Amino acid sequence: MKVYINGRMVDEKNAKISVFDHGLLYGDGVFEGIRVYHKKVFTLQRHIDRLYRSAKAIALEIAMTPDAMSKAVVRTCKQNGITNGYVRLIVTRGVGTLGLNPYLCKQSQVIIIAGGIQLYPVELYEEGLSIITVGTMRNHPEAINPRIKSLNYLNNVLAKIEALNSGAMECVMLNPQGYVAEASGDNIFVVQGDRLRTPPVWCGALEGITRAVVMELAQDMGYTVKEDVLTRYDLYTADEVFLTGTAAEIIGVGVIDKRPIGAGRPGPVTLQLAERFKAYTREEGTLIE
Ligand code: PXG
């Protein structure tokens, strides 16, 4: 595998960065996870836009243009012969000193890794996930805004630990007001009849790209889609609940806090949307050539 580091393609074993990089020392940086389907980089422009928004939000100047970044992603995929895979795009604050001051970091570092991804076991897409709500609340927006896809994922890691320690693979995170925010690495939707609802980003959700695509596809399919404040009541009483994310795509939730959701397995709307999403991965994308 060849890894892109600051404009150079380096061999996997030489793909190293400084221990003084503030990405490592402080989780000071931003990232994206992007899928490649059928030799096309899926929703590349949306990921690049979000990356630059995240960087702007933490006052991180990326030393290359968005257009050059897109080209670098495609080039890294090409070099590695990726047909279906996963790209991790990372921008760190760069090499600095042992001290918080980000202004002492000379230049941001850009790292692009193109490889594979492990999804949930395939049977879970038919059976549905069993998840729990956790006590670890989503970051307060005025602490670290959840809209920023930063390298500091401790909030999510702590939530994931809580879930895993209770035998659940994913969790529902609530925001400081007790409203539903999202899962540790996915957005959440509830289905009631022909209505889809998902928490607005101010409730502590990342502006997920899969979330946006699903909202658009669902609307085209005739569903009513609304961003809405949700509580656990809305989850427990929903016909269906599903999660969306780059890695998970669309996965139905069968059980939350040991309570069956609807029939206790992925419902027809979830399965229909998953089918439509899969078709869309053939339609959309930036060709790797
Ligand atoms: N919320 C959070 C907190 C995320 O980290 C999503 C929602 C879904 O967003 P997208 O844009 O992917 O639809 C994410 C994305 C991983 C992994 O390794 C996690 C994500 C993406 C790729 C890989 O667990 N999270």
Side-chain angles (χ1 to χ4, degrees):
M1 181 195 281
K2 295 272 187 199
V3 177
Y4 175 104
I5 303 183
N6 299 324
R8 294 193 310 126
M9 300 299 309
V10 298
D11 210 62
E12 190 177 335
K13 64 179 191 305
N14 297 321
K16 294 172 184 163
I17 61 155
S18 166
V19 293
F20 295 101
D21 192 301
H22 277 212
L24 174 70
L25 290 176
Y26 301 114
D28 186 359
V30 294
F31 78 103
E32 284 295 322
I34 312 171
R35 287 293 281 275
V36 176
Y37 298 104
H38 320 295
K39 228 177 167 184
K40 293 198 301 267
V41 186
F42 186 63
T43 55
L44 177 58
Q45 191 59 49
R46 296 190 201 221
H47 283 282
I48 299 294
D49 290 347
R50 186 173 65 186
L51 180 79
Y52 278 77
R53 279 203 307 278
S54 292
K56 192 84 190 267
I58 67 162
L60 168 58
E61 216 167 293
I62 302 178
M64 63 198 283
T65 64
D67 199 42
M69 187 70 81
S70 297
K71 290 198 170 84
V73 169
V74 172
R75 179 178 155 211
T76 309
C77 291
K78 189 176 175 187
Q79 279 262 336
N80 288 285
I82 306 287
T83 303
N84 290 289
Y86 176 74
V87 177
R88 178 60 60 94
L89 171 51
I90 305 154
V91 184
T92 76
R93 186 80 63 179
V95 177
T97 59
L98 293 177
L100 280 178
N101 191 346
Y103 298 123
L104 297 178
C105 300
K106 286 174 212 79
Q107 199 177 36
S108 62
Q109 309 276 326
V110 179
I111 300 158
I112 308 172
I113 309 164
I117 185 143
Q118 209 198 333
L119 295 170
Y120 290 116
V122 56
E123 61 273 14
L124 282 183
Y125 286 80
E126 283 162 33
E127 292 164 14
L129 277 177
S130 179
I131 67 176
I132 60 166
T133 48
V134 289
T136 305
M137 66 178 67
R138 197 73 180 96
N139 282 325
H140 192 287
E142 295 307 322
I144 300 177
N145 196 308
R147 293 175 76 171
I148 303 167
K149 199 163 167 64
S150 86
L151 289 181
N152 195 315
Y153 252 50
L154 253 191
N155 181 224
N156 314 62
V157 170
L158 292 176
K160 188 90 174 180
I161 286 171
E162 253 192 281
L164 293 171
N165 287 357
S166 299
M169 289 179 79
E170 246 301 357
C171 56
V172 177
M173 297 181 78
L174 308 177
N175 72 8
Q177 288 100 52
Y179 300 133
V180 173
E182 58 181 342
S184 72
D186 294 307
N187 291 110
I188 190 162
F189 284 77
V190 302
V191 182
Q192 245 141 6
D194 61 359
R195 287 174 64 218
L196 265 60
R197 292 190 297 158
T198 190
V201 288
W202 67 261
C203 277
L206 180 76
E207 273 169 310
I209 286 159
T210 320
R211 171 184 180 272
V213 167
V214 166
M215 289 169 85
E216 289 164 20
L217 294 177
Q219 235 147 12
D220 288 348
M221 290 159 79
Y223 292 104
T224 305
V225 182
K226 195 166 168 249
E227 290 185 326
D228 214 352
V229 176
L230 300 178
T231 64
R232 281 190 292 174
Y233 171 92
D234 299 297
L235 303 181
Y236 297 152
T237 59
D239 293 342
E240 302 179 28
V241 171
F242 62 85
L243 307 182
T244 64
T246 293
E249 299 173 334
I250 297 172
I251 185 160
V253 174
V255 176
I256 304 181
D257 298 334
K258 301 247 162 99
R259 299 162 179 243
I261 304 303
R265 51 190 306 116
V269 178
T270 302
L271 297 175
Q272 191 199 19
L273 285 168
E275 226 13 74
R276 179 68 194 95
F277 182 82
K278 197 172 176 187
Y280 189 64
T281 64
R282 291 191 172 275
E283 296 160 22
E284 154 38 67
T286 305
L287 196 61
I288 299 166
E289 51 177 13

PDB file of all heavy atoms in Angstrom, residues 55-75:
ATOM      1  N   ALA A  55     -12.099  22.251   9.157  1.00  0.00           N
ATOM      2  CA  ALA A  55     -10.796  22.901   9.343  1.00  0.00           C
ATOM      3  C   ALA A  55     -10.989  24.378   9.691  1.00  0.00           C
ATOM      4  O   ALA A  55     -10.361  24.905  10.612  1.00  0.00           O
ATOM      5  CB  ALA A  55      -9.950  22.751   8.084  1.00  0.00           C
ATOM      6  N   LYS A  56     -11.897  25.024   8.967  1.00  0.00           N
ATOM      7  CA  LYS A  56     -12.178  26.447   9.216  1.00  0.00           C
ATOM      8  C   LYS A  56     -12.658  26.653  10.653  1.00  0.00           C
ATOM      9  O   LYS A  56     -12.247  27.593  11.333  1.00  0.00           O
ATOM     10  CB  LYS A  56     -13.253  26.897   8.220  1.00  0.00           C
ATOM     11  CG  LYS A  56     -13.488  28.376   8.111  1.00  0.00           C
ATOM     12  CD  LYS A  56     -12.505  29.045   7.176  1.00  0.00           C
ATOM     13  CE  LYS A  56     -12.571  30.550   7.235  1.00  0.00           C
ATOM     14  NZ  LYS A  56     -13.460  31.165   6.260  1.00  0.00           N
ATOM     15  N   ALA A  57     -13.507  25.718  11.092  1.00  0.00           N
ATOM     16  CA  ALA A  57     -14.093  25.844  12.442  1.00  0.00           C
ATOM     17  C   ALA A  57     -13.042  25.730  13.537  1.00  0.00           C
ATOM     18  O   ALA A  57     -13.235  26.241  14.640  1.00  0.00           O
ATOM     19  CB  ALA A  57     -15.179  24.785  12.640  1.00  0.00           C
ATOM     20  N   ILE A  58     -11.938  25.065  13.254  1.00  0.00           N
ATOM     21  CA  ILE A  58     -10.882  24.983  14.274  1.00  0.00           C
ATOM     22  C   ILE A  58      -9.674  25.860  13.898  1.00  0.00           C
ATOM     23  O   ILE A  58      -8.572  25.678  14.427  1.00  0.00           O
ATOM     24  CB  ILE A  58     -10.446  23.513  14.559  1.00  0.00           C
ATOM     25  CG1 ILE A  58      -9.744  22.851  13.353  1.00  0.00           C
ATOM     26  CG2 ILE A  58     -11.643  22.665  15.001  1.00  0.00           C
ATOM     27  CD1 ILE A  58      -8.936  21.607  13.736  1.00  0.00           C
ATOM     28  N   ALA A  59      -9.888  26.793  12.985  1.00  0.00           N
ATOM     29  CA  ALA A  59      -8.839  27.739  12.566  1.00  0.00           C
ATOM     30  C   ALA A  59      -7.591  27.016  12.071  1.00  0.00           C
ATOM     31  O   ALA A  59      -6.463  27.384  12.391  1.00  0.00           O
ATOM     32  CB  ALA A  59      -8.489  28.697  13.712  1.00  0.00           C
ATOM     33  N   LEU A  60      -7.830  25.957  11.307  1.00  0.00           N
ATOM     34  CA  LEU A  60      -6.723  25.185  10.728  1.00  0.00           C
ATOM     35  C   LEU A  60      -6.647  25.503   9.240  1.00  0.00           C
ATOM     36  O   LEU A  60      -7.614  25.265   8.501  1.00  0.00           O
ATOM     37  CB  LEU A  60      -6.970  23.685  10.947  1.00  0.00           C
ATOM     38  CG  LEU A  60      -6.095  22.679  10.198  1.00  0.00           C
ATOM     39  CD1 LEU A  60      -4.624  22.891  10.519  1.00  0.00           C
ATOM     40  CD2 LEU A  60      -6.499  21.256  10.585  1.00  0.00           C
ATOM     41  N   GLU A  61      -5.532  26.047   8.844  1.00  0.00           N
ATOM     42  CA  GLU A  61      -5.367  26.395   7.436  1.00  0.00           C
ATOM     43  C   GLU A  61      -4.768  25.214   6.691  1.00  0.00           C
ATOM     44  O   GLU A  61      -3.680  24.754   7.036  1.00  0.00           O
ATOM     45  CB  GLU A  61      -4.458  27.612   7.314  1.00  0.00           C
ATOM     46  CG  GLU A  61      -4.881  28.518   6.176  1.00  0.00           C
ATOM     47  CD  GLU A  61      -4.179  29.851   6.266  1.00  0.00           C
ATOM     48  OE1 GLU A  61      -4.456  30.605   7.222  1.00  0.00           O
ATOM     49  OE2 GLU A  61      -3.343  30.109   5.398  1.00  0.00           O
ATOM     50  N   ILE A  62      -5.510  24.717   5.713  1.00  0.00           N
ATOM     51  CA  ILE A  62      -5.017  23.580   4.936  1.00  0.00           C
ATOM     52  C   ILE A  62      -4.168  24.132   3.795  1.00  0.00           C
ATOM     53  O   ILE A  62      -4.644  24.966   3.026  1.00  0.00           O
ATOM     54  CB  ILE A  62      -6.179  22.713   4.399  1.00  0.00           C
ATOM     55  CG1 ILE A  62      -7.039  22.206   5.569  1.00  0.00           C
ATOM     56  CG2 ILE A  62      -5.649  21.549   3.567  1.00  0.00           C
ATOM     57  CD1 ILE A  62      -8.251  21.365   5.157  1.00  0.00           C
ATOM     58  N   ALA A  63      -2.948  23.619   3.708  1.00  0.00           N
ATOM     59  CA  ALA A  63      -1.988  24.209   2.769  1.00  0.00           C
ATOM     60  C   ALA A  63      -2.166  23.713   1.336  1.00  0.00           C
ATOM     61  O   ALA A  63      -1.201  23.561   0.596  1.00  0.00           O
ATOM     62  CB  ALA A  63      -0.566  23.929   3.259  1.00  0.00           C
ATOM     63  N   MET A  64      -3.394  23.414   0.951  1.00  0.00           N
ATOM     64  CA  MET A  64      -3.676  23.104  -0.456  1.00  0.00           C
ATOM     65  C   MET A  64      -5.138  23.411  -0.742  1.00  0.00           C
ATOM     66  O   MET A  64      -5.958  23.476   0.176  1.00  0.00           O
ATOM     67  CB  MET A  64      -3.322  21.652  -0.800  1.00  0.00           C
ATOM     68  CG  MET A  64      -4.092  20.593  -0.066  1.00  0.00           C
ATOM     69  SD  MET A  64      -3.302  18.953  -0.124  1.00  0.00           S
ATOM     70  CE  MET A  64      -3.709  18.416  -1.769  1.00  0.00           C
ATOM     71  N   THR A  65      -5.466  23.599  -2.004  1.00  0.00           N
ATOM     72  CA  THR A  65      -6.836  23.987  -2.363  1.00  0.00           C
ATOM     73  C   THR A  65      -7.753  22.758  -2.300  1.00  0.00           C
ATOM     74  O   THR A  65      -7.285  21.610  -2.425  1.00  0.00           O
ATOM     75  CB  THR A  65      -6.902  24.542  -3.793  1.00  0.00           C
ATOM     76  OG1 THR A  65      -6.548  23.481  -4.696  1.00  0.00           O
ATOM     77  CG2 THR A  65      -5.971  25.723  -3.982  1.00  0.00           C
ATOM     78  N   PRO A  66      -9.066  22.988  -2.132  1.00  0.00           N
ATOM     79  CA  PRO A  66     -10.011  21.867  -2.143  1.00  0.00           C
ATOM     80  C   PRO A  66      -9.908  21.039  -3.423  1.00  0.00           C
ATOM     81  O   PRO A  66     -10.006  19.811  -3.389  1.00  0.00           O
ATOM     82  CB  PRO A  66     -11.374  22.560  -2.041  1.00  0.00           C
ATOM     83  CG  PRO A  66     -11.092  23.849  -1.356  1.00  0.00           C
ATOM     84  CD  PRO A  66      -9.726  24.271  -1.814  1.00  0.00           C
ATOM     85  N   ASP A  67      -9.672  21.711  -4.541  1.00  0.00           N
ATOM     86  CA  ASP A  67      -9.571  21.017  -5.814  1.00  0.00           C
ATOM     87  C   ASP A  67      -8.349  20.092  -5.845  1.00  0.00           C
ATOM     88  O   ASP A  67      -8.424  18.934  -6.271  1.00  0.00           O
ATOM     89  CB  ASP A  67      -9.498  22.060  -6.941  1.00  0.00           C
ATOM     90  CG  ASP A  67      -9.851  21.440  -8.273  1.00  0.00           C
ATOM     91  OD1 ASP A  67     -10.807  20.642  -8.293  1.00  0.00           O
ATOM     92  OD2 ASP A  67      -9.150  21.723  -9.262  1.00  0.00           O
ATOM     93  N   ALA A  68      -7.239  20.596  -5.357  1.00  0.00           N
ATOM     94  CA  ALA A  68      -6.016  19.785  -5.290  1.00  0.00           C
ATOM     95  C   ALA A  68      -6.222  18.606  -4.332  1.00  0.00           C
ATOM     96  O   ALA A  68      -5.719  17.498  -4.562  1.00  0.00           O
ATOM     97  CB  ALA A  68      -4.842  20.650  -4.834  1.00  0.00           C
ATOM     98  N   MET A  69      -6.991  18.840  -3.268  1.00  0.00           N
ATOM     99  CA  MET A  69      -7.267  17.776  -2.290  1.00  0.00           C
ATOM    100  C   MET A  69      -8.085  16.656  -2.953  1.00  0.00           C
ATOM    101  O   MET A  69      -7.786  15.470  -2.761  1.00  0.00           O
ATOM    102  CB  MET A  69      -8.024  18.359  -1.097  1.00  0.00           C
ATOM    103  CG  MET A  69      -8.220  17.394   0.043  1.00  0.00           C
ATOM    104  SD  MET A  69      -6.685  17.002   0.902  1.00  0.00           S
ATOM    105  CE  MET A  69      -6.509  18.422   1.970  1.00  0.00           C
ATOM    106  N   SER A  70      -9.108  17.050  -3.719  1.00  0.00           N
ATOM    107  CA  SER A  70      -9.916  16.053  -4.436  1.00  0.00           C
ATOM    108  C   SER A  70      -9.032  15.218  -5.350  1.00  0.00           C
ATOM    109  O   SER A  70      -9.143  13.984  -5.392  1.00  0.00           O
ATOM    110  CB  SER A  70     -10.987  16.729  -5.291  1.00  0.00           C
ATOM    111  OG  SER A  70     -11.886  17.427  -4.481  1.00  0.00           O
ATOM    112  N   LYS A  71      -8.158  15.899  -6.080  1.00  0.00           N
ATOM    113  CA  LYS A  71      -7.268  15.201  -7.023  1.00  0.00           C
ATOM    114  C   LYS A  71      -6.322  14.256  -6.278  1.00  0.00           C
ATOM    115  O   LYS A  71      -6.030  13.157  -6.751  1.00  0.00           O
ATOM    116  CB  LYS A  71      -6.480  16.222  -7.841  1.00  0.00           C
ATOM    117  CG  LYS A  71      -7.361  16.982  -8.837  1.00  0.00           C
ATOM    118  CD  LYS A  71      -6.517  17.647  -9.920  1.00  0.00           C
ATOM    119  CE  LYS A  71      -7.387  18.186 -11.050  1.00  0.00           C
ATOM    120  NZ  LYS A  71      -7.939  19.523 -10.782  1.00  0.00           N
ATOM    121  N   ALA A  72      -5.865  14.689  -5.108  1.00  0.00           N
ATOM    122  CA  ALA A  72      -4.950  13.852  -4.314  1.00  0.00           C
ATOM    123  C   ALA A  72      -5.657  12.573  -3.846  1.00  0.00           C
ATOM    124  O   ALA A  72      -5.050  11.493  -3.808  1.00  0.00           O
ATOM    125  CB  ALA A  72      -4.428  14.649  -3.128  1.00  0.00           C
ATOM    126  N   VAL A  73      -6.941  12.696  -3.510  1.00  0.00           N
ATOM    127  CA  VAL A  73      -7.712  11.516  -3.079  1.00  0.00           C
ATOM    128  C   VAL A  73      -7.826  10.520  -4.237  1.00  0.00           C
ATOM    129  O   VAL A  73      -7.561   9.331  -4.083  1.00  0.00           O
ATOM    130  CB  VAL A  73      -9.126  11.922  -2.579  1.00  0.00           C
ATOM    131  CG1 VAL A  73     -10.027  10.702  -2.392  1.00  0.00           C
ATOM    132  CG2 VAL A  73      -9.032  12.705  -1.268  1.00  0.00           C
ATOM    133  N   VAL A  74      -8.188  11.056  -5.403  1.00  0.00           N
ATOM    134  CA  VAL A  74      -8.352  10.199  -6.589  1.00  0.00           C
ATOM    135  C   VAL A  74      -7.019   9.537  -6.949  1.00  0.00           C
ATOM    136  O   VAL A  74      -6.954   8.336  -7.227  1.00  0.00           O
ATOM    137  CB  VAL A  74      -8.914  11.018  -7.773  1.00  0.00           C
ATOM    138  CG1 VAL A  74      -8.916  10.203  -9.056  1.00  0.00           C
ATOM    139  CG2 VAL A  74     -10.334  11.500  -7.451  1.00  0.00           C
ATOM    140  N   ARG A  75      -5.951  10.333  -6.879  1.00  0.00           N
ATOM    141  CA  ARG A  75      -4.605   9.818  -7.205  1.00  0.00           C
ATOM    142  C   ARG A  75      -4.201   8.688  -6.252  1.00  0.00           C
ATOM    143  O   ARG A  75      -3.652   7.664  -6.682  1.00  0.00           O
ATOM    144  CB  ARG A  75      -3.625  10.992  -7.100  1.00  0.00           C
ATOM    145  CG  ARG A  75      -2.184  10.618  -7.377  1.00  0.00           C
ATOM    146  CD  ARG A  75      -1.299  11.873  -7.281  1.00  0.00           C
ATOM    147  NE  ARG A  75       0.065  11.496  -6.948  1.00  0.00           N
ATOM    148  CZ  ARG A  75       0.893  12.260  -6.242  1.00  0.00           C
ATOM    149  NH1 ARG A  75       0.503  13.435  -5.784  1.00  0.00           N
ATOM    150  NH2 ARG A  75       2.117  11.851  -5.990  1.00  0.00           N
TER     151      ARG A  75
END
